Amino acid sequence: MRKINIFDTTLRDGEQSAGVNLNLHEKLEIARQLERLGVDIIEAGFPAASKGDFQAVQAIAQTVRNCSVTGLSRSVQSDIDAAWEALKDGAEPRLHVFIATSPIHMQYKLRMTPEQVIETAVESVRYAKKYFPIVQWSAEDACRSDLPFLATIIERVIEAGANVINIPDTVGYITPKQYGDIFSFLKKNVRNIEKINLSAHCHDDLGMAVANSLAAIEAGATQIEGTINGIGERAGNAAIEEVAVALYIRKDYYQAETGLNLQEIKRTSNLVSKLTGMIVPPNKAIVGKNAFAHESGIHQDGVLKEKTTYEIISPQLVGVQSNSMVLGKHSGRHAFRTRIQELGYALTEEEVNRLFVRFKDLADKKKDITDDDLIALILDEKLDTYKNFYQLCSIQVQYGTNQIPTAVVVLKDGEGNDIQEAATGAGSVEALYNALEKALQLPVTLLDYRIESVGSGRDALAQVYVKVSLDGKEASGRGTAQDVLEASAKAYIHAVNRMFVIEKMKEEQALAAQ
Ligand SMILES: [Zn+2]
């Protein structure tokens, strides 16, 4: 069996998804889970892009011990310097430096001749090797590049010390056969290529990202880049969980394996979906809600007689649980703390105490508290880092089929003042959001509103995601509560608070730059 390295870029390419902006704590939470999942490399961000990105990459490099942490860098010394500052405390510092190699990018974007591109690439790899033990070099838009030129530049950067060569299909244009052919061509025509790792990075514009990645493996790639749930620029990246499970289920064919702990897949997918607000479609392979649901009578009959008649993947393989009851009204603090630890969360005593109060409160209303409920509570508590901004104190909503929906909200602002407002609307959520908008005195526009339940049952927790815009800037937020209206209000306030944090960070950056 060949070992395929998994390079996860959920926090870099995935975070580039429209409307996704993760804060430092959320990125750390995802990085820790990726470590549990067992990815080989975490691309934590683009350190030179912003102060926020730099801090997140640095915090992740300092926290994660069992995988290599990397950051993206353009082929300029200041980017490489920033990346080294952010990554040097990592367990295995690694740089991901790139330059475009397609005629269209070189001519219009870089305004450089092919010779200048080679020179710049070689120089940047040489410079990076002064610091980094491992340097990955990427040929941006490789799939629309001239192949002999691609071979030449790769040979030169290998000479300069690159350890990994990545061949991205930046625009999601290639087909599986063609992609495999590029890898075969390079293996034949680049000197010393057997000494480095060859990597695939695919985008899903034509729905072929996973198929292309697997074709690359067949043609000799030893590293696959992708994201959890396939999130990313435009149509997204190759979904790591799909590549990993395909290799596992079809090992007879691919003869290759990843080091992933497949049982952590479902949990990782849930976490990424929750924190990014990117909901997983029910029919999504491996992690969708319906991925293991047999609906047709003939299929159900078959599965009941013998599972493998229609089931090629067992739900347990990827960590899908039957959602059994774990805790209830009579569970004590000890059982509660133990379960949190078993779920892999490290909380302070103070956080456990606060959470326990909320747990008891929930257990009074809901009979069975499942792992999913607990995780929703933990994330709500742990990631609520906006305590200095607006806080929701109470809401009251009146609704009847023959009444005008009316909402009253009470908020606390950053200075601790109470703000109370009332408003009406065509429906209860609209009335509530109108009241919140009046209270905040901000022209907030609601761009997206989605609701889903945590687990099943009529007493399930409600989880609401919103995306809002203010002065042309966007932020997303989420809220969890047993009541849908309370969850809606929380999500709205969360999004507005996040907007303020982003703005504050930008102001600090501007001040620091002066
Ligand atoms: Zn990409």
Side-chain angles (χ1 to χ4, degrees):
M1 286 275 178
R2 285 198 296 140
K3 162 83 195 300
I4 305 297
N5 283 343
I6 294 294
F7 177 114
D8 180 282
T9 183
T10 304
L11 295 172
R12 203 274 301 165
D13 221 329
E15 218 242 352
Q16 274 170 240
S17 308
V20 171
N21 43 44
L22 298 166
N23 68 29
L24 177 75
H25 299 272
E26 292 165 333
K27 286 182 182 176
L28 262 174
E29 207 56 61
I30 290 175
R32 283 199 198 99
Q33 180 56 30
L34 290 171
E35 190 180 19
R36 276 194 285 261
L37 176 65
V39 305
D40 299 279
I41 300 123
I42 294 175
E43 184 164 51
F46 189 167
S50 73
K51 193 176 153 199
D53 244 36
F54 179 91
Q55 286 169 338
V57 175
Q58 189 174 47
I60 291 167
Q62 287 168 347
T63 306
V64 166
R65 288 295 105 184
N66 297 320
C67 25
S68 177
V69 177
T70 190
L72 189 66
S73 158
R74 288 170 300 178
S75 300
V76 292
Q77 293 195 353
S78 55
D79 273 29
I80 300 170
D81 292 339
W84 175 244
E85 271 313 302
L87 292 163
K88 63 182 179 191
D89 300 328
E92 188 190 56
R94 172 186 302 243
L95 184 73
H96 181 192
V97 61
F98 74 96
I99 195 162
T101 53
S102 66
I104 204 168
H105 276 238
M106 291 192 289
Q107 187 184 342
Y108 295 104
K109 194 181 79 176
L110 298 176
R111 295 179 196 281
M112 285 164 97
T113 63
E115 290 69 33
Q116 285 172 318
V117 170
I118 293 180
E119 213 173 285
T120 310
V122 167
E123 236 169 67
S124 63
V125 170
R126 265 204 206 117
Y127 185 75
K129 279 303 273 189
K130 283 194 217 158
Y131 304 111
F132 289 90
I134 300 175
V135 171
Q136 165 169 327
W137 181 82
S138 273
E140 191 190 7
D141 204 17
C143 295
R144 292 192 299 174
S145 302
D146 170 54
L147 280 185
F149 174 70
L150 195 59
T152 307
I153 191 168
I154 289 173
E155 198 165 295
R156 297 285 305 279
V157 293
I158 293 175
E159 267 169 39
N163 312 80
V164 184
I165 300 293
N166 183 36
I167 310 297
D169 179 23
T170 307
V171 295
Y173 178 77
I174 206 83
T175 69
K177 168 88 173 55
Q178 289 177 315
Y179 198 46
D181 287 348
I182 295 178
F183 282 79
S184 304
F185 177 87
L186 295 175
K187 290 202 83 150
K188 233 179 266 149
N189 294 286
V190 176
R191 221 176 331 131
N192 290 328
I193 197 147
E194 68 288 348
K195 294 187 179 148
I196 55 100
N197 270 313
L198 258 184
S199 171
H201 176 112
C202 299
H203 279 273
D204 210 30
D205 298 68
L206 295 173
M208 296 194 278
V210 170
N212 287 340
S213 305
L214 292 169
I217 290 173
E218 282 186 82
T222 47
Q223 172 177 300
I224 296 297
E225 305 195 3
T227 60
I228 301 300
N229 299 337
I231 64 170
E233 275 285 334
R234 308 184 309 277
N237 290 55
I240 277 177
E241 67 278 7
E242 291 181 24
V243 173
V245 174
L247 289 182
Y248 179 82
I249 296 291
R250 296 306 311 275
K251 48 184 176 284
D252 61 311
Y253 178 75
Y254 288 108
Q255 299 285 317
E257 62 187 357
T258 68
L260 291 200
N261 177 6
L262 301 180
Q263 288 184 358
E264 288 291 333
I265 283 180
K266 182 65 180 172
R267 212 170 120 192
T268 315
S269 162
N270 284 348
L271 180 73
V272 169
S273 167
K274 231 169 237 166
L275 298 189
T276 57
M278 302 272 287
I279 289 176
V280 175
N283 63 325
K284 163 88 173 57
I286 318 295
V287 290
K289 248 182 194 146
N290 295 349
F292 304 101
H294 302 279
E295 194 60 33
S296 121
I298 294 173
H299 289 207
Q300 284 177 347
D301 182 55
V303 169
L304 285 173
K305 285 174 178 151
E306 167 55 46
K307 275 206 162 105
T308 52
T309 48
Y310 287 100
E311 200 170 272
I312 61 157
I313 312 165
S314 84
Q316 291 77 23
L317 176 76
V318 296
V320 175
Q321 263 117 29
S322 44
N323 231 356
S324 58
M325 185 198 82
V326 289
L327 294 170
K329 201 171 160 175
H330 303 292
S331 304
R333 194 180 298 252
H334 181 70
F336 177 72
R337 191 189 288 118
T338 309
R339 192 64 203 140
I340 290 175
Q341 280 160 359
E342 283 166 359
L343 286 171
Y345 291 93
L347 298 185
T348 65
E349 200 53 36
E350 199 194 324
E351 284 171 324
V352 171
N353 290 340
R354 270 205 306 267
L355 210 54
F356 190 66
V357 175
R358 287 192 64 188
F359 162 74
K360 279 290 179 186
D361 192 36
L362 179 63
D364 276 339
K365 300 179 201 150
K366 188 174 189 292
K367 206 168 113 246
D368 304 340
I369 312 284
T370 63
D371 283 350
D372 286 344
D373 293 330
L374 270 188
I375 291 171
L377 280 185
I378 294 168
L379 292 180
D380 242 33
E381 178 64 40
K382 218 170 141 52
L383 304 175
D384 187 13
T385 50
Y386 308 106
K387 299 201 167 83
N388 302 331
F389 295 90
Y390 292 103
Q391 277 183 58
L392 187 67
C393 301
S394 70
I395 62 167
Q396 188 185 318
V397 181
Q398 259 184 350
Y399 178 81
T401 42
N402 295 321
Q403 284 180 331
I404 297 168
T406 312
V408 181
V409 299
V410 182
L411 300 179
K412 246 188 207 348
D413 69 11
E415 273 106 49
N417 306 312
D418 278 346
I419 318 168
Q420 186 180 320
E421 278 296 347
T424 60
S428 4
V429 174
E430 196 194 341
L432 183 62
Y433 283 7
N434 286 343
L436 286 171
E437 195 181 329
K438 267 169 89 179
L440 294 167
Q441 293 185 306
L442 295 169
V444 178
T445 309
L446 187 66
L447 301 174
D448 197 6
Y449 173 93
R450 276 169 292 159
I451 182 162
E452 61 170 13
S453 69
V454 177
S456 54
R458 67 174 75 174
D459 61 355
L461 287 174
Q463 194 149 266
V464 170
Y465 299 94
V466 297
K467 203 197 291 176
V468 300
S469 80
L470 179 64
D471 299 333
K473 282 161 295 231
E474 289 182 13
S476 60
R478 61 176 194 284
T480 310
Q482 197 156 32
D483 181 81
V484 293
L485 293 171
E486 191 183 330
S488 303
K490 279 183 167 176
Y492 188 95
I493 294 294
H494 185 225
V496 170
N497 281 343
R498 290 182 66 138
M499 184 98 69
F500 281 110
V501 172
I502 295 163
E503 281 315 296
K504 212 178 131 199
M505 254 169 52
K506 280 193 188 140
E507 275 167 29
E508 279 170 14
Q509 252 171 276
L511 276 177
Q514 273 169 17

